Amino acid sequence: MAHDDYIPMHARVAEITDETPTEKTFTLEFVEDELPFRPGQFCTISVLGAGEAPFCIASSPARSDAIQVTVRRYPQGTVTSALHELAVGDYVGVRGPMGNGFPLEEFTGRDILVVAGGIGLPAVRASILYLLEHRSAYRNVTLLYGARTPADRVYNDDLAQWEQSPEIVCRQTVDMKDEADDWDGHVGLITTLFEPLDMDGPQTTAIIVGPAVMYPFVVAECRQKGITDENMYFSLEAQMKCGVGKCGHCAMKDKYVCLDGPVFTYAQMREMQEY
Ligand SMILES: Cc1cc2nc3c(=O)[nH]c(=O)nc-3n(C[C@H](O)[C@H](O)[C@H](O)COP(=O)(O)OP(=O)(O)OC[C@H]3O[C@@H](n4cnc5c(N)ncnc54)[C@H](O)[C@@H]3O)c2cc1C
Ligand code: FES
């Protein structure tokens, strides 16, 4: 059913997965509507009496009758706390899709490098699922994922599956681990995963989402591998506040991240001089 952009669609909480002590993934099934979307787009979710907040759509775009979102709870956060109190069978409002998303269909025939830091993995999960569902259209697909500690990692089932899959090269790292952690994987910043990679840089498109502090270091590694600024795609959602072009918080030169993005190439970001 067609819907008005300003009217939330009713969705039922069909499943809740505890990812970490502060992050949960919600599967939201639409009661009447459908929500076709592109990987990298986001939606807003409203909880009655608490308000509305934006979240990346983390599920495969192959399914439009339901979406998944992964929500980090902030102790003082009104909407994220209310979402974390929900149970299966409760209802929320969903508006969207919003934002431009990643133009994955333009990347066909190329190697794809996905770089996700921390809560950036939910923002690229839809892209990874899309790439795997359209696997023959792309050359090598590589995921580099960095979390702060082993306990901060989300989508453990997906990661275990991707690590075993011949369809994708999946490399993970954590910044640090405790003695109590049984993590026997890589320890070090996400940039340390680049060095052993054998890449065809000019043939590679990179999709990069994570904390802004990570971006200059990842750009340097990508350039070192021969990936051009035009082929590095970032999502700048962290720059946004209202998300609808009203507050000016996300203005960068002549662009509004919320209206023109949030996905930009690094070449575009360089032109938005204030970045
Ligand atoms: C386009 C877009 C996509 C997003 N996607 C996701 C996603 O997929 N998953 C996800 O978990 N979040 C995502 N976020 C962030 C999410 O929207 C915020 O965490 C949420 O709006 C907080 O709402 P709240 O009502 O709980 O907090 P508020 O009541 O608005 O904030 C209360 C306090 O909580 C703290 N706080 C809230 N949010 C943050 C934050 N992001 N960083 C640090 N401190 C914070 C601050 O101290 C703040 O003062 C996204 C944001 C944008 C703009
Ligand atoms: S987030 Fe408010 S204008 Fe873009």
Side-chain angles (χ1 to χ4, degrees), residues 42 53-56 70-72 74 76-80 119 237 240:
F42 62 96
F55 297 96
C56 298
T70 299
V71 177
R72 176 177 289 179
Y74 288 94
Q76 310 301 323
T78 319
V79 178
T80 56
I119 193 71
E237 67 234 13
M240 288 189 227

Side-chain angles (χ1 to χ4, degrees), residues 1-255:
M1 181 192 290
H3 60 266
D4 185 315
D5 286 350
Y6 291 97
I7 300 176
M9 295 176 271
H10 272 123
R12 179 181 170 277
V13 179
E15 194 179 346
I16 302 173
T17 306
D18 289 320
E19 301 283 355
T20 71
T22 53
E23 276 136 358
K24 290 184 181 188
T25 295
F26 297 85
T27 303
L28 306 174
E29 282 178 356
F30 295 107
V31 176
E32 290 179 326
D33 306 85
E34 300 228 332
L35 182 71
F37 65 95
R38 314 158 55 101
Q41 287 192 298
F42 62 96
C43 62
T44 67
I45 302 188
S46 49
V47 181
L48 210 59
E52 182 180 49
F55 297 96
C56 298
I57 306 174
S59 45
S60 163
R63 196 172 168 194
S64 57
D65 63 328
I67 56 167
Q68 288 179 314
V69 292
T70 299
V71 177
R72 176 177 289 179
R73 175 186 202 152
Y74 288 94
Q76 310 301 323
T78 319
V79 178
T80 56
S81 295
L83 278 165
H84 272 241
E85 295 305 318
L86 294 180
V88 168
D90 287 340
Y91 287 86
V92 295
V94 179
R95 291 194 306 120
M98 298 171 188
N100 54 354
F102 295 105
L104 296 181
E105 60 289 344
E106 292 175 19
F107 306 162
T108 54
R110 294 180 59 78
D111 290 342
I112 309 295
L113 172 68
V114 181
V115 184
I119 193 71
L121 192 55
V124 296
R125 183 168 176 257
S127 297
I128 298 166
L129 296 173
Y130 178 95
L131 292 168
L132 293 175
E133 284 157 7
H134 299 79
R135 188 63 192 85
S136 59
Y138 300 92
R139 300 203 319 175
N140 299 318
V141 177
T142 303
L143 166 65
L144 306 183
Y145 172 44
R148 212 168 53 84
T149 70
D152 290 316
R153 290 156 60 248
V154 293
Y155 308 142
N156 282 288
D157 289 350
D158 284 345
L159 290 164
Q161 200 185 324
W162 295 338
E163 281 198 323
Q164 299 301 320
S165 169
E167 308 285 0
I168 180 168
V169 174
C170 175
R171 300 268 185 275
Q172 303 180 55
T173 186
V174 296
D175 296 348
M176 59 185 140
K177 65 167 191 166
D178 284 336
E179 301 231 327
D181 292 326
D182 59 0
W183 174 255
D184 60 359
H186 190 84
V187 179
L189 296 177
I190 197 163
T191 44
T192 59
L193 294 178
F194 276 81
E195 211 209 311
L197 285 184
D198 183 16
M199 290 175 50
D200 182 355
Q203 281 302 319
T204 302
T205 296
I207 294 171
I208 304 155
V209 187
V213 65
M214 169 186 114
Y215 286 178
F217 300 100
V218 169
V219 167
E221 295 292 338
C222 286
R223 283 179 169 167
Q224 176 80 14
K225 291 287 184 190
I227 304 173
T228 65
D229 291 0
E230 289 73 20
N231 286 315
M232 292 180 218
Y233 287 78
F234 289 80
S235 183
L236 301 182
E237 67 234 13
Q239 311 283 330
M240 288 189 227
K241 216 172 173 80
C242 73
V244 290
K246 299 290 180 203
C247 70
H249 189 264
C250 70
M252 292 166 97
K253 208 176 172 192
D254 61 337
K255 299 256 190 305

